[in-house]
Amino acid sequence: MPNNPKTRDITTPTARRLTEYLLILEELMERSVTVVSSKELAEAFGNTPSQVRQDLFRLSETGRVGQGYSTGTLARSIRETLGTHIAKNLVIVGCGMVGRAIAAHVPFDRYGLNLIGMFDINPNIIGETIENLPVSPIEDLGDFIERRDVLIASLSVPTLVAQEMTDKLVARGVRGVLNFTRARLKLPANVSVVNSQMICQFTRLGFMIDHFDTVGHKEKSE
Amino acid sequence: MPNNPKTRDITTPTARRLTEYLLILEELMERSVTVVSSKELAEAFGNTPSQVRQDLFRLSETGRVGQGYSTGTLARSIRETLGTHIAKNLVIVGCGMVGRAIAAHVPFDRYGLNLIGMFDINPNIIGETIENLPVSPIEDLGDFIERRDVLIASLSVPTLVAQEMTDKLVARGVRGVLNFTRARLKLPANVSVVNSQMICQFTRLGFMIDHFDTVGHKEKSE
DNA sequence: TAGATTGTTAATCGATTAACAATC
DNA sequence: TAGATTGTTAATCGATTAACAATC
């Protein structure tokens, strides 16, 4: 999979930051900025130039000594490393407020992700169209995953059924789950999870505010 | 603010994990489990017993040697450390899909957060009631923040106006921003941010799947 | 009692920061 | 050319893991 030998050296914190550098670069490109230095990137991100260079160092194509980084080249290089060019099919499981917000708000197509299905258990929602996709009954999900090669599931069902749902997804071949429920999912080792409990993010922010002077850390990312 | 001297030693990674241990503990309590060991917590969380103990070690009240941790006591202790007993007022800025999902889905009240206002610029939404709160016009936000002592703003406006909006929030006294936009916010040092770009989480998940065998890391949290 | 498991210190590992030669 | 800034190695810092005595 990693087409570049150095790719295997990307650490978890670096991978996380790369996804966010990419957003910054895209914003710069929109503003027609063609060159950026590690110093400028660090200022935008909220880290140090040294860390930026250390992160970018692992990419295949990077910058020019003395000149900085070309925003376009760098963005392309980050995309290549993150694998956004490797198309991945994805479904949203649970079409409540959260599922809908994700469908409407996340620009999947710009990052190699194909949202190809929305699923729910509620008969009142099934058949409804969300972002050009019909909401399908949850009973069809298993077959759909196999037939359409679904790699990723975004999980926004009630917390109580989250594990049960996950087991089914995994049994049918899903390789990654983005978990928006408050359940702590048990998964086999070959399936990846990213947990996104919004309440935890708010709690953390509250803690940071309370401890502003003691800890002082302005956190960078989610 | 930290009422316990040891509280100041809570590191950022530990604080993050504490918010998630709390969810696990609450789930255990719902199931009437009264005692849990570091080994069990680690298994649920996906880390090591050693790390769990190292994290909990900083709390004021913890466990009993040889016996494990009381779920109730531990949860209370984590809450105290995270400051969920210190009430904080919060507003949601931007009442599109994301703002609505947050209002509907996040159990603020259980974690010391009072959602007291919803704001939007769109006249078609203003006046609408979401989760028992009327959507107010964005013009009223500044005064509202000062008058009601709003500490936290959840930001789900269009990316293009995010910085501008943030500047206003901060000028009026907001101390923490949960940023759901794709903008990289510039903030004064005394204001905290937590960035929650959903697309980054999906991209990261994609990377993890591609590199499953090489990196093998099943990520723990958001 | 013996077994289990915490609290806590020490050792290791990994990530960040510093430094600087290369070079545009 | 001189100044700026990368690429990369080395040094430092901090976080995780290991270890084990204390004790329920």
Side-chain angles (χ1 to χ4, degrees):
Chain A
M1 255 145 270
N3 32 11
N4 184 297
K6 282 206 286 179
T7 297
R8 62 178 58 246
D9 296 319
I10 303 285
T11 65
T12 304
T14 291
R16 179 182 234 122
R17 286 190 295 265
L18 286 178
T19 63
E20 305 186 19
Y21 295 151
L22 186 53
L23 295 193
I24 295 173
L25 289 169
E26 280 164 357
E27 203 269 334
L28 289 172
M29 287 159 82
E30 262 172 42
R31 296 194 353 238
S32 303
V33 177
T34 57
V35 175
V36 67
S37 68
S38 59
K39 194 178 159 212
E40 291 162 324
L41 254 180
E43 200 183 318
F45 185 90
N47 59 352
T48 63
S50 197
Q51 186 172 71
V52 168
R53 290 204 301 280
Q54 197 61 256
D55 286 337
L56 301 184
F57 167 49
R58 312 306 181 83
L59 307 183
S60 50
E61 259 189 291
T62 55
R64 281 187 200 176
V65 174
Q67 309 294 93
Y69 301 86
S70 147
T71 50
T73 309
L74 188 53
R76 227 172 298 123
S77 194
I78 290 178
R79 282 173 165 280
E80 197 201 322
T81 302
L82 293 175
T84 63
H85 59 295
I86 304 170
K88 296 175 188 73
N89 289 336
L90 152 143
V91 294
I92 288 177
V93 184
C95 298
M97 279 295 194
V98 176
R100 283 157 202 262
I102 292 162
H105 178 267
V106 180
F108 293 114
D109 50 321
R110 284 203 260 138
Y111 298 88
L113 300 169
N114 308 127
L115 174 59
I116 61 170
M118 308 269 309
F119 292 83
D120 204 287
I121 203 173
N122 183 345
N124 298 325
I125 318 188
I126 292 167
E128 202 178 309
T129 298
I130 298 176
E131 300 293 311
N132 294 320
L133 284 171
V135 177
S136 305
I138 208 95
E139 303 90 68
D140 300 354
L141 181 50
D143 289 342
F144 189 90
I145 290 171
E146 289 185 8
R147 187 156 32 85
R148 304 287 304 273
D149 259 322
V150 173
L151 268 189
I152 295 178
S154 171
L155 194 68
S156 49
V157 300
T159 300
L160 278 172
V161 300
Q163 183 62 56
E164 179 194 344
M165 201 64 244
T166 302
D167 294 343
K168 284 182 192 164
L169 296 169
V170 168
R172 294 308 196 102
V174 158
R175 292 286 313 284
V177 177
L178 194 25
N179 175 28
F180 289 98
T181 80
R182 280 189 297 283
R184 199 80 201 177
L185 303 175
K186 287 179 258 309
L187 292 146
N190 65 331
V191 178
S192 303
V193 205
V194 169
N195 284 305
S196 190
Q197 278 73 43
M198 295 195 227
I199 186 59
C200 291
Q201 301 173 354
F202 279 100
T203 307
R204 202 144 51 81
L205 184 59
F207 178 79
M208 287 160 70
I209 292 173
D210 286 345
H211 294 257
F212 164 64
D213 36 17
T214 40
V215 188
H217 52 173
K218 168 160 46 173
E219 188 135 325
K220 306 308 142 32
S221 63
E222 188 15 15
Chain B
M1 257 144 265
N3 33 10
N4 184 299
K6 282 207 286 179
T7 298
R8 61 177 59 244
D9 296 320
I10 305 282
T11 64
T12 304
T14 292
R16 180 183 233 122
R17 286 190 295 264
L18 287 178
T19 64
E20 304 186 19
Y21 295 151
L22 187 53
L23 294 191
I24 295 172
L25 289 169
E26 281 163 357
E27 203 269 335
L28 289 172
M29 288 160 80
E30 261 170 43
R31 295 192 356 235
S32 303
V33 177
T34 58
V35 175
V36 68
S37 67
S38 58
K39 193 178 159 214
E40 291 163 323
L41 255 180
E43 199 182 318
F45 185 90
N47 58 353
T48 65
S50 197
Q51 185 171 71
V52 169
R53 290 205 299 282
Q54 196 61 258
D55 286 337
L56 302 184
F57 166 49
R58 312 307 182 82
L59 306 183
S60 50
E61 258 187 292
T62 55
R64 280 187 201 177
V65 174
Q67 309 294 96
Y69 302 85
S70 147
T71 51
T73 309
L74 188 52
R76 228 173 298 122
S77 194
I78 291 178
R79 280 171 165 281
E80 198 202 320
T81 301
L82 294 176
T84 64
H85 58 295
I86 304 170
K88 296 177 188 72
N89 289 336
L90 152 143
V91 293
I92 288 177
V93 184
C95 299
M97 281 293 193
V98 176
R100 282 157 201 261
I102 292 163
H105 178 266
V106 180
F108 293 114
D109 50 322
R110 284 203 260 138
Y111 299 88
L113 300 169
N114 308 126
L115 175 58
I116 60 169
M118 308 269 309
F119 292 84
D120 205 287
I121 203 173
N122 184 346
N124 298 325
I125 319 188
I126 292 167
E128 202 178 308
T129 297
I130 298 177
E131 300 294 310
N132 294 319
L133 283 172
V135 177
S136 306
I138 208 97
E139 303 89 67
D140 299 354
L141 181 50
D143 290 342
F144 188 91
I145 289 171
E146 288 185 9
R147 187 157 33 85
R148 303 288 304 273
D149 258 320
V150 173
L151 269 188
I152 295 178
S154 172
L155 195 67
S156 50
V157 299
T159 299
L160 278 172
V161 299
Q163 183 62 56
E164 179 194 345
M165 200 64 245
T166 301
D167 294 342
K168 285 180 190 162
L169 297 168
V170 169
R172 293 309 195 102
V174 158
R175 292 287 311 285
V177 176
L178 195 23
N179 177 28
F180 289 97
T181 79
R182 281 189 298 283
R184 199 79 201 178
L185 302 176
K186 287 179 258 310
L187 292 146
N190 65 331
V191 178
S192 304
V193 205
V194 169
N195 285 305
S196 190
Q197 278 76 43
M198 295 195 226
I199 186 60
C200 290
Q201 300 173 353
F202 279 99
T203 307
R204 202 144 52 82
L205 183 60
F207 179 79
M208 287 160 72
I209 292 173
D210 286 345
H211 295 257
F212 164 65
D213 37 16
T214 40
V215 187
H217 53 174
K218 167 160 46 172
E219 187 134 325
K220 307 308 145 32
S221 61
E222 190 17 16

